[in-house]
Structure formats: C-alpha cells, structure tokens
Amino acid sequence: MASISARGVEVIGGYTIVRREPLERLEGSFIELVHERTGARHIHIECTDDNNAFAVCFPTVPKDSKGVAHILEHVVLAGSKRFPVRDPFFAMTRRSLATFMNALTGADSTTYPFSTRNSKDYMNLLQVYLDAVFFPLLSEDAFKQEGIRFEFEDPADPSSGLRHKGVVFNEMKGALATPQAAMQRNLGRTLFPGTTYANISGGDPEHMPELTWEELRRFHADHYHPSNAYFYTYGDQPLERTLATIEESALSSFKRSLVDTSIPNVKRFEKPTTSAEPYPAPPGEDNSRKGQALVAWVTVPAIDSFRLLAMRVLSEVLLGNSAAPLRKALIDSKIGSALADGSGFQDDFKETVFGAGLKGIAVADAPKVERIILETLEKLSKDGLDASQVDAAIHRLEFEKRERSNAGFPYALKVLFNFLGTYYYGGDPYSPLNLDADLEHLEQVRREGRFFENLVAAEMLDNQHRALLVLEPDTDLEERKRRKELEHLAAIEARLTDEERARIVADALRLKVEQEAKQDLGVLPSLALSDIPMRFDDVESREVKIGNTPVEFFPLPTNGITYLDIRSDFAALSNDLKELLPLFSRVFTQSGAAGQDYVEVANRIAAVTGGIGAGPAVQPLAARDDYLQSFLVSGRALDRNVGPFIDLLTDLTAQLEIEPHRLKEVIDESATRLESSIAGLGFQFAILRATSKLSSEGAINDGLQGIGMLHEVRRVARLNEEELTDVIARLQTIRTTLFRRNAIHVVVTCEESMVDLIAERLGGLVDALPDGGSDGHVERPGPLARAPEARTAPLPVAFNVRGFKTVRYTHADAPVLLVLANYLRDTFLHRELREKGGAYGAVAQASTGGGTFYMASYRDPEVVRTYDTFDRAAAWVVDGEITDETLKEAILGACGDVDPLESPDIKGRREATNRLAGFTRAEREKFKKRLLEVSASDLRRVAVAYLSSNAHAQATVAGPELVAAATKERPGLFEVVAPV
Ligand SMILES: [Zn+2]
C-alpha cells in the first residue's frame, strides 16, 4: 500500500503520488505519479476492468525523414539483454493471450502498448516490453533486416543487380502511396517549417538509405531514457506490484538525465501560403477531376484542454455531418464531391490544425475551394451558428465520454490516447478525461454570447497561419521514383569494389543463416495451455413479441446507452438488387424521410443518437455449407433520447424519401472517396477477390466490399439524374422488401430498467411497417471464375493472396485448420516473406466460419517469389520438425482468435448472431476444447488434405511494374490482368 512520507506526500516505492482524482464514469481513480530518482512520469487508471493495459511512450523528435524513430521502433523489438532472441515481440504474440500488442510511431512520439485479461500474461508482457525499450540489443543485423540494407537481386550472385531491402522500407513505400499520406506530408511540410513535423517520421524510402546504424543507436540513447518516459497502466491489477516491477527491471539502472524533446512553436506566418504535392494516380484513366484542395490553419495549443474542446465542438459543427454548414457549402458548390483528406480537427500536433476542403476537383479549381471556405466562415461569423447544431455537437462529446466500448481496439487504450498528447506536451492530463469542468465553462461562455463566432474569427478568419494545400494526380510519379531508385543503385553499384561486393554477398548469406537458425525461446516467459479459460459466458436475453415481430433484449450494464439493431434477411433480393446494397446503405442515413429533407434528418441523427449505420453482412452457418444474408441497421442513443431515436428509425425504415439530386451527391461522394482510397484497399480487394473464386458467399462479399463493389459504384456514378429514377425505384424496392413487419428481427442491448419503455416504443415502429414477411425465395450466386487474377493499382508494392476451400465450423478439422494458420504464419511465412523477403506482413488465416483458408502477403516487394513460397508451405509442414513448443504457441494463438474482447455494445449483437448461425455456446466450447488436443500429426494431415491441392484460387493487387515483371518471369501466372 501507499505510505505517507515525512513530507506528507503519498509514496509507493521510489514513486511519489502527485495527484489523485476520481473518475466517476469509470467508477475508478486517476493517479498521477513521478519516479523521484529518474523523473519518469506515470499515470494509473484504477478501475474494475480486468482487461489490464500498459504502455510506455517516449516523445521522439526526428530532425530528418530517414525514418530513424520508426526503424528504431522495429529494432528495439528484435532482441534485448534479458531476452536475446531474434524477435521477442513476435515470439510473445504467440505465447500470450494479449487483447492488444503493438508499437506505434507517431509524428512526435513512439508508444509501446499492450493489454490482456490474464494476470500472469500481464506480468510476462510487462517484463518483455520493459527490457525491449530500455535494454535492446540494437544489433546491426536487426537494423538491416527491419530497416534498410543492400542486397543483390539474387543474394548470392553479385552480378544480379543491387537492390534495397528491408521491412520498414517496404512498409513505408506502401504507406506513402496513398493520397491521404501525400496530404499529410504536404500539411506537415507547409504548416510547420523548421520543426520536427516537417519531416516524415515514418521515413521516406528515398532518404532511408542514408540512415546509419550509429545514428539509430544514438537516437535510442537520447530518447529512450526514463527521464523522457511517460508510463501508463490501467485496470484492476495491483499498482504496487506493477511499479515495483518497473523500478526493478528498468528504472533502477538509470540516473536522471536531461532530455530535451521539446518542440518549439512554429513561427507564425505573416500571410497565408499555398503548396502543391503530387500523388500517384493510375495511368490511362480520366484523372482530370482527381485533385484535392485543403485549407488548413495552425490553431490552438494542444495543452489547453478548454480551447481544445471548443475547437473539437466547432469542427463537429462545421463539418460533422451532411447538414453541417461548411460541409454543405462545399458539397453544394459542385466543384468537388467529397471532403478532402485532412478535413476536420487534428490534435496530434503540439499546435493543433483545423482543415477543410474538397477532393474530386480539377486542380485549377483549388482557389475556388478556398474562396468558398472563407466566404462561408465570414457569413457564419457574422450571422451566427445554429445553436441546435452546437447542442448536437456537445451531445456527441457526452456520448463519447460515456461509452466504454472495446469495438475497434480496447477501451483500456482509448483512455490513454484521450490524454496522451496533452500529457507529454506538458498540459493537464486529467482534464481530457474529466470533461465536466471544461463543459461547464463552455456552457457559461456560450451564454455570454458569440463565443463560437469569435472563435471562427480568431482561429480562422484573422489567423494568417493558413495554407492552401493542393494534391495533384501524377500518373508518372511511381515510375519516376522507381527509375530514380534504380539509377541511384546503379551508380552505387558502379563504384563498388570487388571486396565490397563480396561483403554484401557475405552479409546477405549470414543474415539468411541467422534467420533460419533455431533459437532458444526458453528464456521468454510463456503461458501454459492450462492458463486458457475454457468456458464462455452465458449471455442472458429475453424475447418479447410485438405482433409477430421478435424483439430480443440483452439487459447489460451499458452506462446509460441503448444499442439497437434491426436485422432483415436480404436473401430474398434478386442478384441485381443485391449489387445496390452498398449504395442503399449510404442512402439510408443520408436522405430525407417523412416529409423532411436530408438536412433535417442529418440534424436529427446528430441531436439524438450516437450514430446510425446500415450495411449488409454475410454470416456463415456453423454446421452447413450455407450462410445468412443479413442487412443490419444499427444505432445507439443515450437512454434519455430513446423515444426520438426510435421515431427516427421508424421514419427511415417506413418513409425514406430518395430524391435524384441528393442521390447523385451521395453517389459522387462515395465514388470519389473510393477512388482516392484504392491504394489503401489493395489488401482487402485481393483477399475478397481470391475467396470470391471459392464460394458463393465469397462472391457476394466481393460485390459488397471488394472489386465488384467498386465496379458497381463506378457504373452508377456514370448515370445522370434522369437515369437515376430507375435506380431510385430499385432502392425503394430494397427498402420495402427488407423492412416488413414479419421480415425484421430486432436486437436491443440496454440497461434492464429500459426494457419496458423500449418495447413499448418499438410497437410504433412495427406498426408503421407494411405487413408481410419474406417470401422464402433465396438467390445465391455461384463463385466467380477460378482463373488466377492480377489487378493493377498505383502502388509500389504487392498484395498476394492464395485461398483454399476447407470445411465448416463443426467439422472436426476446423480447429486443426485454425491452429495450422497460426503455425504457418508464425513460423514459415513470417520468416520467408517478412524476414527474408522484406514484405511488411505475412498472413495465414483460417476462416473457420466461412470454410476457407488463405495465405497472403502485405506490402510485398515480390510476386513470383511469394507464390513460390506458398507452393512450399504444405510440404514444409509435412516434412519439417514440429516442436512441442511451436505447436503450443500455435494453439495459444488459436485460442486467442476464438476469444475476442467484448463490451456491452458488442456482446448482445454477437450473441444474437451466434444463435442465428448455430455458433452455440456448447459448440464453441467444444471447438476450443478440440483446439487444445491438436497434434503435430493433425497439422500434417490437414496440410496435405487442404493445402496441397491445385484447386486453389489466387489474386494479386499490385503496381503495374510488379505485375508486368511477374508475368514476364512466369508467363501464365495470371490469366486475367486488368486495372482494379
Ligand atoms: Zn512499422
């Protein structure tokens, strides 16, 4: 326990508690500590959540774009003093039941977070993380493998051409190929000249080769010191034990040091500026309206929690939904069709940024975008903002503050990212967690009048630190970069002596031997199979009938929020209507209804809900080779708004009004957004395309989220308003088919006390719907043509996928396939594709529900070599030695896969789906039990049975040069080659 020192302050070991505050909504406490000897800072969130989290964060401020902070983040995880194995981080992902493990390099900091529900696992990971960041080996080989190295095309042949290799090198090539990245780069360079933000902290592949191992080690010594460290812990584990471990394992070896990672404020402009940046666009297409223009200002400092809050609210009011005045003015202008990348409020700089703009513009129209923004802001500042829109934006903050959701990633870490910036910039970390004081202050200044109008004037109209940031599509950019890299390499190669060539070959071969060497992982802590929880929670529910409509209630402690899903089967729709479902999903929340136009509906959604979404989902059945085709409308609202929330859902389902002009806007916006996201969607597209060749549900998924969907969006985007009349009729047919009294099934997760009230209000919704149910007619498309396929996109890397058809969940081989996926990924594919090949990611995945298995590479510099690796995978399992240790790790990994982190918002919905699709608790426990029994001979048998056949499907999404080179090297590798 904490004790009181002579000075009257609370101390725990070498730490002093400097602050302790209540966190009412978390039913916990905020505890801020300082480690006296080193100055290390620590915040602990004490609460009853058993998903305990840890993070250590170092402000890191690189002075160039060589990628030192990012490469260091990779290399510290590649072996440390106590754990001198090749990659303890990846090894631990296999020996742990972590609910989150990662490392993140931001623009000005590097963070190492994890979370887990198992207390032994928590202590294991804590030891490994501490040793990694404070005592890494930082070996030269790890630097070369993860960062950058020279290697010949054929590593053993010095005449085969000099190349750059390295994991981060390829990771960043892929990451920087998107328009989003180009905008962010333009923004940092233009708004923050002379500061760390002007650099690319992740590393620019053009400058990465300049980084030396020496520089990397110096950067570590300068930044990764307890005096520059910000620790975070969260959950129900005892703080004393955690602190004692941190002191013993790390801090006790250090003395206080003066580390200056402060970031100066940028020198404010005397007048606004303009800057253009190219981004890679596909050749041979119409790129005349693929430009972007963003007007951005440097605004309030991130340490000022009140002004930060005010700017967040203002940004939400101006841009937050389709009724927001600045967004509406931009879209109505017809100069572009969607908000530019970088629009909104960005608080991850020391001085924050607000931006607004358009994409889908002709580059020459950029000044017009700026004019519209300035004129709209002038007008708003003069005439005033709509008070109800401000109320809605504040309501949204209240919602976010209340919700404790593990959706996306653990709540335990959402709390951290809420205050981390403020904390390390030197502000008060408590106020972002406890908005009450700031919210009260905001209400008070609003009452005094013109608060937001004055804010618009001060931070935007009168603020000269403004830039017009333009993005220009450039069809030749990737090719120029590629040529430049090759010319540069050729120049270096020409100067190499025979001795240097021999050394590059020797280094490459040595690295390869090391990568293949067996390691003694015995030094690493691990969980035993007996640590795995074998039972799943029962989730209680209660069914209420409203007429013939079933409503399933899951009463759970939701912190005063109601979650409501309306499910309907879309199997009854004909295939051509199914193709329109992605469009219908967007139209559903962006149109008018019940006599109100889309602006009024958008205002209602913002005012009374925490968001409404709609979309189709294909849900595999556990026991049969079949699937559910569910269309889901999902919404959430504070309990006090449940009445108007259900009224809103009633209007949308029963009286949606789709009008051609608005439909055209919605279509253009989604088409523009999709076209500008293609580089980021390559992996998803490749996986869906490969699985679409294996099964009917794969084919549907490709049409809903894959290349099929993209093509449908393009088709609809070519129609004019008149031609859209027919589309509107079909969209309305979709609505009236899906939303019928006997076709819907409602799932509600809420506080017990809300059940009766909600049941009563749902009566109104059911009454408003037409009678009848589905006619039982079901359409299922067949799989797409099996021929292997390559799709080109403006990318400098490849995504390669090979898929196999397997068995359903209740089949005895399904658990073996899940273990096999973990085993193949963590041993063979990780080594061959990532460590040796330089791909950023190597994946093997068993979709136990969908009955498919795939191997894939992510941001891969190779194509042919990767497919050759896939060819060898089954034989490698069959002929290689499978140690007890690696088998145990694969089983642990598989157990983690079937036990995802839940929270009330997820739990009821997931349980409802499980019941519908036959994933009963008994079946899931049986599956998990069988996971523990998987043997090495099972893995071999299943690898032969499912992965050695030629009946696989393949899809690659890659840059045109990579596809061309692969086709030349291996004619017939792809039967179809086309742009995405
Ligand atoms: Zn990385």
Side-chain angles (χ1 to χ4, degrees):
M1 275 321 306
S3 64
I4 307 292
S5 79
R7 285 178 292 149
V9 290
E10 264 189 293
V11 298
I12 305 177
Y15 288 86
T16 303
I17 296 183
V18 294
R19 190 168 181 191
R20 185 193 283 272
E21 302 281 355
L23 286 173
E24 271 167 40
R25 292 212 166 76
L26 256 173
E27 295 142 55
S29 307
F30 167 97
I31 302 171
E32 185 178 346
L33 308 106
V34 170
H35 186 251
E36 288 300 336
R37 204 160 63 88
T38 60
R41 283 147 282 208
H42 191 123
I43 284 174
H44 177 61
I45 304 295
E46 186 179 75
C47 63
T48 54
D49 193 346
D50 69 353
N51 187 39
N52 284 270
F54 166 89
V56 56
C57 168
F58 303 100
T60 45
V61 287
K63 294 185 172 65
D64 52 51
S65 295
K66 297 183 207 166
V68 63
H70 183 192
I71 295 175
L72 179 61
E73 173 231 296
H74 281 240
V75 180
V76 302
L77 299 173
S80 64
K81 219 155 115 191
R82 270 179 73 195
F83 308 111
V85 296
R86 209 168 53 236
D87 56 358
F89 178 80
F90 274 98
M92 283 310 288
T93 61
R94 304 161 203 153
R95 304 162 81 91
S96 158
L97 290 171
T99 48
F100 188 90
M101 269 181 87
N102 211 339
L104 317 153
T105 308
D108 57 15
S109 65
T110 310
T111 309
Y112 297 84
F114 73 79
S115 69
T116 176
R117 298 180 63 191
N118 181 296
S119 69
K120 182 172 159 197
D121 201 22
Y122 182 75
M123 295 311 286
N124 288 351
L125 290 168
L126 182 61
Q127 298 283 1
V128 172
Y129 267 60
L130 288 172
D131 208 56
V133 297
F134 290 109
F135 310 104
L137 298 177
L138 301 182
S139 77
E140 189 171 10
D141 279 347
F143 167 63
K144 286 182 169 172
Q145 175 184 299
E146 292 298 316
I148 183 88
R149 65 180 182 272
F150 285 121
E151 212 171 270
F152 293 103
E153 177 82 51
D154 171 357
D157 176 5
S159 66
S160 62
L162 194 65
R163 298 287 176 266
H164 286 308
K165 293 236 170 120
V167 172
V168 176
F169 183 70
N170 288 306
E171 177 188 351
M172 290 311 295
K173 270 192 171 181
L176 295 177
T178 64
Q180 292 84 338
M183 184 61 90
Q184 212 53 24
R185 169 186 202 148
N186 194 356
L187 190 153
R189 175 166 63 76
T190 309
L191 285 182
F192 295 102
T195 75
T196 193
Y197 302 125
N199 307 313
I200 299 172
S201 69
D204 182 345
E206 220 177 299
H207 294 289
M208 239 177 246
E210 297 157 23
L211 182 69
T212 65
W213 180 40
E214 222 8 85
E215 280 176 82
L216 182 94
R217 291 196 297 176
R218 209 175 326 123
F219 194 83
H220 178 267
D222 289 348
H223 291 82
Y224 284 39
H225 189 283
S227 305
N228 189 45
Y230 293 76
F231 288 88
Y232 169 75
T233 48
Y234 166 104
D236 65 357
Q237 291 291 312
L239 177 63
E240 292 73 19
R241 187 182 66 173
T242 306
L243 294 179
T245 306
I246 295 173
E247 270 202 289
E248 229 169 80
S249 310
L251 305 188
S252 60
S253 308
F254 292 87
K255 290 203 176 64
R256 192 183 281 260
S257 129
L258 205 67
V259 186
D260 184 10
T261 45
S262 63
I263 301 166
N265 286 340
V266 66
K267 190 171 170 296
R268 291 295 176 122
F269 298 168
E270 278 159 18
K271 60 180 194 343
T273 183
T274 301
S275 166
E277 176 89 20
Y279 79 90
E285 280 181 31
D286 177 11
N287 292 309
S288 62
R289 287 193 61 161
K290 286 196 181 162
Q292 297 198 27
L294 180 78
V295 178
W297 291 264
V298 170
T299 65
V300 304
I303 55 166
D304 186 333
S305 70
F306 174 70
R307 291 167 77 196
L308 206 65
L309 179 77
M311 281 302 297
R312 278 179 70 195
V313 171
L314 178 61
S315 173
E316 182 71 25
V317 172
L318 294 175
L319 299 172
N321 59 60
S322 42
L326 185 54
R327 181 191 189 121
K328 189 165 181 308
L330 283 165
I331 299 290
D332 287 351
S333 76
K334 300 277 175 226
I335 295 170
S337 38
L339 287 188
D341 292 317
S343 293
F345 185 55
Q346 297 188 41
D347 60 3
D348 44 5
F349 300 106
K350 189 187 165 218
E351 295 170 277
T352 59
V353 171
F354 175 78
L358 280 171
K359 61 168 81 162
I361 67 164
V363 169
D365 283 343
K368 288 190 200 161
V369 175
E370 182 172 47
R371 205 170 330 127
I372 289 164
I373 292 171
L374 296 178
E375 283 170 8
T376 309
L377 292 174
E378 290 273 5
K379 192 161 175 305
L380 287 167
S381 154
K382 206 163 97 241
D383 302 346
L385 295 169
D386 181 335
S388 65
Q389 289 185 328
V390 177
D391 289 339
I394 293 174
H395 157 260
R396 186 173 182 83
L397 287 179
E398 190 189 343
F399 198 95
E400 281 171 18
K401 198 174 57 166
R402 206 178 258 277
E403 191 169 48
R404 295 196 299 240
S405 169
N406 285 320
F409 69 105
Y411 180 72
L413 293 166
K414 289 179 183 156
V415 173
L416 168 69
F417 292 113
N418 222 332
F419 71 79
L420 183 61
T422 310
Y423 189 29
Y424 64 69
Y425 296 133
D428 172 11
Y430 178 62
S431 42
L433 296 180
N434 181 54
L435 292 175
D436 293 349
D438 284 338
L439 277 175
E440 229 165 85
H441 184 190
L442 189 64
E443 286 303 338
Q444 187 197 328
V445 293
R446 266 185 83 192
R447 277 196 298 275
E448 287 160 14
R450 295 197 49 81
F451 174 76
F452 285 104
E453 291 76 8
N454 293 339
L455 195 62
V456 169
E459 298 302 333
M460 296 163 198
L461 294 171
D462 301 338
N463 177 359
Q464 296 303 302
H465 201 101
R466 181 181 93 213
L468 172 60
L469 305 168
V470 183
L471 284 196
E472 302 176 344
D474 184 337
T475 52
D476 192 38
L477 182 64
E478 284 303 330
E479 180 56 21
R480 277 203 314 277
K481 279 193 180 171
R482 200 179 65 94
R483 271 202 309 267
K484 194 170 162 197
E485 186 187 326
L486 289 175
E487 278 162 20
H488 184 68
L489 284 163
I492 294 173
E493 195 178 347
R495 291 196 303 268
L496 289 179
T497 62
D498 285 349
E499 218 167 83
E500 285 166 328
R501 282 174 188 273
R503 232 201 90 187
I504 291 172
V505 170
D507 279 352
L509 297 181
R510 197 193 62 246
L511 193 61
K512 203 171 157 185
V513 169
E514 251 177 63
Q515 285 162 341
E516 286 183 359
K518 267 218 191 80
Q519 336 185 51
D520 177 18
L521 293 176
V523 291
L524 287 172
S526 178
L527 289 182
L529 293 185
S530 56
D531 292 319
I532 297 171
M534 291 310 294
R535 298 181 68 81
F536 291 99
D537 287 345
D538 249 334
V539 191
E540 304 273 327
S541 72
R542 187 149 96 233
E543 191 175 295
V544 175
K545 282 260 183 191
I546 299 177
N548 285 322
T549 305
V551 181
E552 211 170 352
F553 280 97
F554 290 89
L556 287 167
T558 59
N559 219 12
I561 296 174
T562 291
Y563 301 91
L564 197 151
D565 291 351
I566 303 171
R567 181 193 172 273
S568 180
D569 208 321
F570 70 78
L573 300 176
S574 59
N575 286 336
D576 64 316
L577 288 180
K578 278 178 194 168
E579 285 175 355
L580 283 174
L581 279 174
L583 177 61
F584 177 72
S585 310
R586 280 184 289 274
V587 166
F588 185 78
T589 53
Q590 297 197 49
S591 300
Q596 297 181 319
D597 67 8
Y598 79 91
V599 175
E600 291 167 287
V601 169
N603 278 328
R604 279 171 74 191
I605 294 176
V608 303
T609 80
I612 295 179
V618 175
Q619 298 164 327
L621 299 187
R624 260 185 308 129
D625 198 8
D626 203 353
Y627 51 92
L628 299 172
Q629 303 178 49
S630 299
F631 191 86
L632 289 159
V633 175
S634 304
R636 48 200 185 140
L638 297 174
D639 286 350
R640 67 164 195 272
N641 292 328
V642 145
F645 167 50
I646 294 175
D647 291 346
L648 183 56
L649 289 173
T650 308
D651 289 347
L652 295 178
T653 49
Q655 299 186 67
L656 191 72
E657 289 162 11
I658 310 171
E659 180 269 322
H661 182 71
R662 176 60 186 160
L663 178 62
K664 181 76 186 142
E665 277 180 2
V666 173
I667 291 170
D668 287 348
E669 178 174 12
S670 68
T672 300
R673 276 168 51 178
L674 256 178
E675 296 291 354
S676 71
S677 310
I678 283 177
L681 290 168
F683 190 53
Q684 176 182 327
F685 281 179
I687 289 171
L688 290 171
R689 196 30 74 120
T691 40
S692 74
K693 299 169 182 295
L694 296 169
S695 67
S696 165
E697 62 206 275
I700 295 193
N701 269 325
D702 186 74
L704 297 178
Q705 309 167 55
I707 292 173
M709 176 269 299
L710 176 68
H711 292 173
E712 173 67 10
V713 169
R714 282 178 180 156
R715 185 188 70 78
V716 180
R718 283 191 294 269
L719 304 177
N720 61 34
E721 277 181 34
E722 214 164 295
E723 291 163 318
L724 285 177
T725 326
D726 168 57
V727 175
I728 291 176
R730 288 160 68 207
L731 291 171
Q732 291 291 17
T733 306
I734 293 177
R735 180 180 65 80
T736 51
T737 312
L738 293 179
F739 304 122
R740 290 175 171 276
R741 242 175 254 177
N742 299 337
I744 63 165
H745 173 113
V746 183
V747 174
V748 184
T749 305
C750 63
E751 303 275 0
E752 174 68 55
S753 60
M754 292 298 293
V755 172
D756 293 340
L757 176 73
I758 293 169
E760 193 192 311
R761 298 299 293 237
L762 281 172
L765 186 147
V766 171
D767 282 345
L769 296 179
D771 219 350
S774 111
D775 60 7
H777 165 85
V778 170
E779 287 226 19
R780 283 188 183 74
L784 302 189
R786 190 52 82 82
E789 194 169 329
R791 294 281 174 169
T792 57
L795 281 169
V797 288
F799 303 99
N800 302 300
V801 183
R802 175 179 289 177
F804 304 85
K805 187 130 173 62
T806 60
V807 289
R808 294 282 161 174
Y809 188 77
T810 52
H811 190 287
D813 286 345
V816 186
L817 283 158
L818 188 61
V819 176
L820 179 66
N822 276 274
Y823 179 75
L824 258 184
R825 181 194 64 217
D826 292 343
T827 55
F828 183 67
L829 293 177
H830 179 81
R831 188 185 74 204
E832 294 298 317
L833 300 181
R834 179 168 160 128
E835 292 183 349
K836 290 191 194 166
Y840 178 47
V843 183
Q845 186 100 34
S847 163
T848 49
T852 55
F853 187 103
Y854 65 80
M855 294 184 268
S857 66
Y858 183 80
R859 290 187 192 159
D860 189 350
E862 310 272 354
V863 177
V864 174
R865 194 185 166 282
T866 296
Y867 282 112
D868 287 347
T869 302
F870 295 159
D871 282 343
R872 286 166 33 224
W876 187 82
V877 176
V878 175
D879 303 334
E881 185 199 2
I882 301 176
T883 65
D884 291 349
E885 194 58 33
T886 49
L887 177 65
K888 185 189 91 175
E889 288 176 355
I891 292 174
L892 265 172
C895 287
D897 294 344
V898 298
D899 203 359
L901 194 60
E902 295 199 308
S903 50
D905 54 319
I906 307 171
K907 207 169 186 166
R909 172 182 303 157
R910 186 177 283 156
E911 177 68 17
T913 307
N914 280 343
R915 288 180 194 174
L916 273 176
F919 294 82
T920 61
R921 186 182 139 182
E923 281 297 346
R924 285 182 291 140
E925 285 176 357
K926 201 163 103 195
F927 187 96
K928 204 166 184 184
K929 193 163 155 281
R930 285 210 309 262
L931 284 177
L932 299 192
E933 293 157 2
V934 171
S935 68
S937 63
D938 286 335
L939 291 186
R940 294 197 175 96
R941 177 179 57 78
V942 164
V944 172
Y946 300 98
L947 306 192
S948 56
S949 82
N950 281 326
H952 54 243
Q954 280 178 195
T956 285
V957 174
E961 297 81 16
L962 281 164
V963 173
T967 319
K968 198 172 151 211
E969 188 183 342
R970 186 80 45 87
L973 179 63
F974 309 115
E975 284 179 38
V976 182
V977 176
V980 287

